[in-house]
């Protein structure tokens, strides 16, 4: 069933986890493109600054301080959006927090807290969105931000990966149920690879070394493009970065091989051995972390964008761009020989 979604400049977009990283970039880009944004997170100061910034540029923004791990807080986000704008058209479940540590090290309480935010926050948000779209009898979009680790678990971040697996499973089930009921609701799962955000600094670290991406790292703008593309055009899945798709395919086709690779590769590529980890009491697991920052302090190979996003959201533009790049590559040697 085709779901008719509004152009972004006619939408009200709810974004959780909007005080930093992917959520912050997505909110800024949505507002720049004319959407009204409802930005939610635990950091009141960061949200107020973001809302003031958007309003100063002529946009519309409503900050809502909320902990998505509490169902009543998520209900309050929806109520605030309806009170301010009368509706919302896209709900983006983005809030997340991680733990770095091997399984026997991590406390059960910390594991529960990750699931409260990463999994239950998505469930609560989806329930609010479905209720609103059904009540108003119109189309709407839900965009859940998953992870490459929701397709293939990783050591050291076992709790986060398990919670993202749950998000992926819940999203698949929700999509099928809505299709069965013929609800005009688009449900998209975004699969980011390693993204340059403060995610690692916010994480609860049981390791001595500071968590950090080492390897290929994509900009948060690539995830924002995937999210906002899905807000306008119904799409099932968007992989941010070829690494996310490769990991998903390899894990399904060659699981033992991937096990062997991860057993030696994932330890050195998730930690910066030259820095000590942020003290656990300063992490963002149990209270709001610092806000207002789009990027983190990773030491990997920083990419400028994602062709997988472009190919999914803007296939014609990606095809033209790829053809142009190939043409330049073919013609340049000939021109240099002249």
């Amino acid at each position: 069933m085709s779901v008719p979604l509004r152009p972004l400049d006619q939408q009200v977009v709810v974004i959780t986890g909007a005080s930093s990283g992917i959520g912050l970039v997505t909110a800024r880009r949505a507002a720049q493109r004319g959407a009204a944004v409802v930005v939610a997170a635990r950091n009141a100061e960061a949200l107020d600054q973001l809302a003031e910034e958007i309003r100063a540029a002529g946009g519309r923004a409503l900050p809502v301080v909320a902990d998505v791990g509490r169902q009543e807080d998520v209900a309050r986000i929806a109520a605030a959006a309806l009170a301010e704008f009368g509706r919302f058209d896209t709900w983006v479940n983005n809030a997340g927090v991680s733990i770095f540590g091997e399984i026997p090290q991590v406390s059960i309480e910390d594991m529960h807290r990750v699931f409260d935010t990463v999994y239950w926050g998505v469930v609560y948000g989806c329930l609010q969105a479905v209720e609103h779209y059904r009540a108003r009898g119109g189309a709407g979009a839900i965009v859940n931000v998953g992870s490459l680790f929701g397709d293939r678990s990783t050591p050291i971040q076992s709790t986060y990966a398990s919670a993202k697996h749950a998000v992926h499973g819940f999203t698949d089930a929700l999509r099928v149920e809505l299709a069965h009921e013929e609800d005009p609701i688009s449900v998209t799962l975004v699969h980011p690879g390693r993204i340059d955000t403060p995610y690692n600094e916010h994480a609860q670290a049981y390791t001595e070394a500071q968590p950090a991406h080492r390897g290929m790292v994509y900009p948060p703008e690539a995830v924002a493009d995937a999210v906002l593309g899905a807000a306008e055009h119904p799409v099932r899945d968007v992989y941010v970065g070829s690494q996310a798709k490769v990991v998903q395919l390899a894990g399904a086709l060659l699981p033992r091989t991937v096990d062997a690779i991860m057993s030696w590769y994932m330890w050195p590529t998730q930690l910066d051995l030259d820095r000590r980890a942020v003290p656990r009491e300063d992490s963002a697991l149990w209270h709001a972390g610092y806000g207002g920052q789009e990027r983190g302090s990773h030491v990997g190979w920083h990419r400028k964008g994602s062709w997988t996003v472009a190919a999914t959201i803007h296939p014609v533009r990606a095809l033209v761009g790829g053809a142009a790049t190939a043409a330049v590559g073919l013609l340049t040697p000939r021109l240099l020989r002249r």
Side-chain angles (χ1 to χ4, degrees):
M1 179 180 63
S2 177
V3 179
L5 300 176
R6 297 171 183 257
L8 197 61
D9 61 3
Q10 298 176 23
Q11 287 202 29
V12 178
V13 180
V14 176
I15 304 167
T16 68
S19 61
S20 67
I22 292 168
L24 176 58
V25 174
T26 303
R28 283 172 169 162
R29 289 205 158 194
Q32 288 167 1
R33 292 179 55 185
V37 294
V38 179
V39 290
R42 293 173 295 172
N43 190 319
E45 182 180 1
L47 289 181
D48 287 340
Q49 291 176 352
L50 174 60
E52 290 175 8
E53 170 194 319
I54 290 171
R55 292 167 185 158
R60 295 172 294 161
L62 175 67
V64 182
V65 179
D67 181 343
V68 299
R70 297 168 56 88
Q71 188 172 12
E72 58 269 31
D73 280 20
V74 179
R76 190 158 44 78
I77 297 171
L82 297 181
E84 181 74 11
F85 299 113
R87 69 172 205 279
F88 56 84
D89 306 285
T90 296
W91 186 292
V92 182
N93 288 304
N94 165 72
V97 66
S98 187
I99 294 174
F100 285 74
E102 295 184 24
I103 293 170
Q105 297 176 306
V106 179
S107 74
I108 296 298
E109 292 78 12
D110 284 355
M111 290 183 182
H112 276 292
R113 180 58 185 165
V114 168
F115 265 82
D116 284 343
T117 300
V118 174
Y119 173 68
W120 286 108
V122 170
V123 173
Y124 300 149
C126 287
L127 290 174
Q128 290 295 326
V130 171
E131 179 182 353
H132 173 60
Y133 298 150
R134 283 177 169 173
R136 80 179 193 192
I142 296 171
V143 183
N144 292 339
V145 179
S147 171
L148 83 163
F149 294 141
D151 293 313
R152 172 69 202 202
S153 286
T154 180
I156 304 180
Q157 292 190 77
S158 58
T159 304
Y160 176 79
S162 299
K164 286 297 187 182
H165 267 74
V167 167
H168 289 204
F170 175 82
T171 303
D172 287 341
L174 176 65
R175 183 188 295 115
V176 172
E177 288 187 6
L178 293 174
H180 176 76
E181 296 298 326
E182 298 186 350
D183 284 305
I185 302 173
S186 172
V187 180
T188 298
L189 181 62
V190 179
H191 307 243
R194 287 173 161 175
I195 309 299
D196 184 12
T197 70
Y199 155 93
N200 294 47
E201 284 80 3
H202 288 166
Q204 183 90 315
Y206 282 78
T207 57
E208 291 186 6
Q210 171 62 34
H213 294 323
R214 302 177 67 90
M216 192 178 297
V217 183
Y218 291 86
E221 287 82 0
V223 188
D225 288 347
V227 169
L228 298 180
E232 290 187 295
H233 308 289
V235 59
R236 187 181 193 279
D237 296 274
V238 188
Y239 290 84
V240 183
S242 56
Q243 63 180 208
K245 188 61 179 177
V246 168
V247 167
Q248 184 263 330
L249 287 174
L253 299 174
L254 302 166
R256 290 185 180 274
T257 300
V258 175
D259 285 347
I261 293 171
M262 282 193 155
S263 68
W264 62 264
Y265 180 75
M266 295 310 294
W267 269 262
T269 62
Q270 295 187 89
L271 300 171
D272 182 354
L273 301 179
D274 294 328
R275 290 185 290 157
R276 291 190 63 83
V278 173
R280 267 182 257 168
E281 60 270 19
D282 295 333
S283 78
L285 182 62
W286 291 97
H287 56 78
Y290 66 87
Q293 299 294 319
E294 294 183 348
R295 285 170 164 73
S297 57
H298 306 287
V299 290
W301 170 27
H302 292 258
R303 301 295 304 275
K304 294 182 178 180
S306 168
W307 277 104
T308 55
V309 172
T312 305
I313 301 299
H314 307 293
V316 174
R317 188 187 308 174
L319 182 63
V320 172
T325 301
V328 170
L330 291 171
L331 292 174
T332 298
R334 297 181 184 181
L335 294 173
L336 292 176
R337 286 196 296 267
R338 293 183 179 180

